[in-house]
């Protein structure tokens, strides 16, 4: 893939699928910094979110950690996505990384929220920094989640599988 300024992948944000045809089946979700270690250590099996895809079941969730880290750390498989109420949320509390108080506060104003059942978290050896993502792909982190384009998913898969990139992220050098 040519990521040079003259190449196919220009600075416009091509991460977001603009139509169902462009949709890869993957999503990128932004997490607050306190979730970084729990996700990196595979300590949770459920992720609850107020905003989630309602028209398709994503297969993978790419994990972006917000400032001060500002990095894409990897992805996990999505086994299931369902709507849950507070009672159901309390049943998965131990596998969600939330306290009862956090969960109750998260449900304020909502009767139901989305609950992802996740597994197999794969980390990039070197997280992809916001600066690199912005420079290479015009990436802007979503407030909640974004449905990834086929192009973005393919690019991230190539980065994950390319051994040369695991030591560092220089797409200009390694993907041309």
């Amino acid at each position: 893939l040519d990521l040079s300024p003259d190449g196919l992948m220009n600075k416009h944000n091509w991460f977001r699928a603009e139509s169902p045809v462009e949709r890869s089946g993957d999503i990128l979700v932004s997490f607050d910094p306190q979730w970084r270690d729990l996700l990196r250590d595979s300590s949770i099996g459920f992720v609850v979110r107020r905003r989630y895809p309602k028209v398709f079941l994503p297969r993978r969730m790419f994990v972006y950690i917000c400032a001060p880290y500002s990095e894409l750390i990897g992805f996990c498989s999505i086994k299931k996505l369902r709507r849950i109420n507070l009672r159901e949320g309390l049943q998965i509390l131990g596998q969600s990384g939330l306290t009862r108080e956090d969960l109750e506060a998260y449900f304020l104003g909502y009767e139901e929220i989305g609950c992802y059942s996740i597994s197999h978290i794969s980390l990039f050896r070197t997280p992809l920094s916001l600066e690199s993502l912005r420079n290479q792909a015009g990436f802007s982190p979503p407030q909640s989640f974004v449905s990834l384009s086929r192009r973005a998913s393919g690019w991230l898969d190539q980065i994950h599988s390319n051994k040369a990139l695991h030591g560092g992220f220089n797409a200009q050098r390694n993907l041309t």
Side-chain angles (χ1 to χ4, degrees), residues 8-173:
L8 294 173
M9 298 196 182
N10 58 32
K11 299 282 178 143
H12 132 217
N13 185 352
W14 42 265
F15 266 67
R16 177 185 312 274
E18 299 295 334
S19 71
V21 174
E22 291 178 2
R23 192 182 301 140
S24 67
D26 297 334
I27 59 174
L28 183 143
V29 177
S30 292
F31 288 88
D32 288 337
Q34 68 264 22
W35 292 99
R36 183 174 183 249
D37 291 338
L38 287 170
L39 288 161
R40 286 176 53 146
D41 297 340
S42 299
S43 299
I44 59 174
F46 294 98
V47 173
V48 295
R49 304 292 291 198
R50 290 179 182 148
R51 294 183 181 208
Y52 54 94
K54 295 177 179 74
V55 294
F56 75 100
L57 174 64
R59 62 186 174 101
R60 290 187 301 179
M61 174 189 298
F62 282 85
V63 177
Y64 179 81
I65 306 296
C66 298
Y69 299 106
S70 302
E71 61 190 12
L72 183 61
I73 64 169
F75 60 90
C76 59
S77 297
I78 298 173
K79 297 189 298 188
K80 192 174 188 178
L81 171 59
R82 62 190 176 107
R83 290 186 301 212
I84 61 169
N85 59 34
L86 179 58
R87 183 184 51 77
E88 293 166 314
L90 291 171
Q91 292 172 357
I92 60 152
L93 200 58
Q95 297 174 47
S96 70
L98 293 167
T99 65
R100 181 183 182 106
E101 294 77 24
D102 290 338
L103 188 65
E104 288 172 348
Y106 200 68
F107 263 97
L108 281 180
Y110 294 85
E111 288 192 26
E112 293 183 321
I113 60 175
C115 179
Y116 297 93
S117 174
I118 62 169
S119 68
H120 190 70
I121 297 179
S122 298
L123 299 174
F124 294 115
R125 284 199 187 149
T126 301
L128 308 179
S129 72
L130 173 58
E131 180 182 359
S132 294
L133 291 165
R134 189 173 280 148
N135 289 339
Q136 298 296 332
F139 175 76
S140 294
Q143 256 190 318
S144 181
F145 81 94
V146 64
S147 176
L148 291 178
S149 69
R150 292 177 189 270
R151 187 177 186 184
S153 289
W155 186 68
L156 291 170
D157 283 342
Q158 186 172 1
I159 289 170
H160 186 259
S161 65
N162 186 341
K163 299 291 185 209
L165 284 173
H166 285 209
F169 180 62
N170 185 339
Q172 193 77 16
R173 182 188 73 220

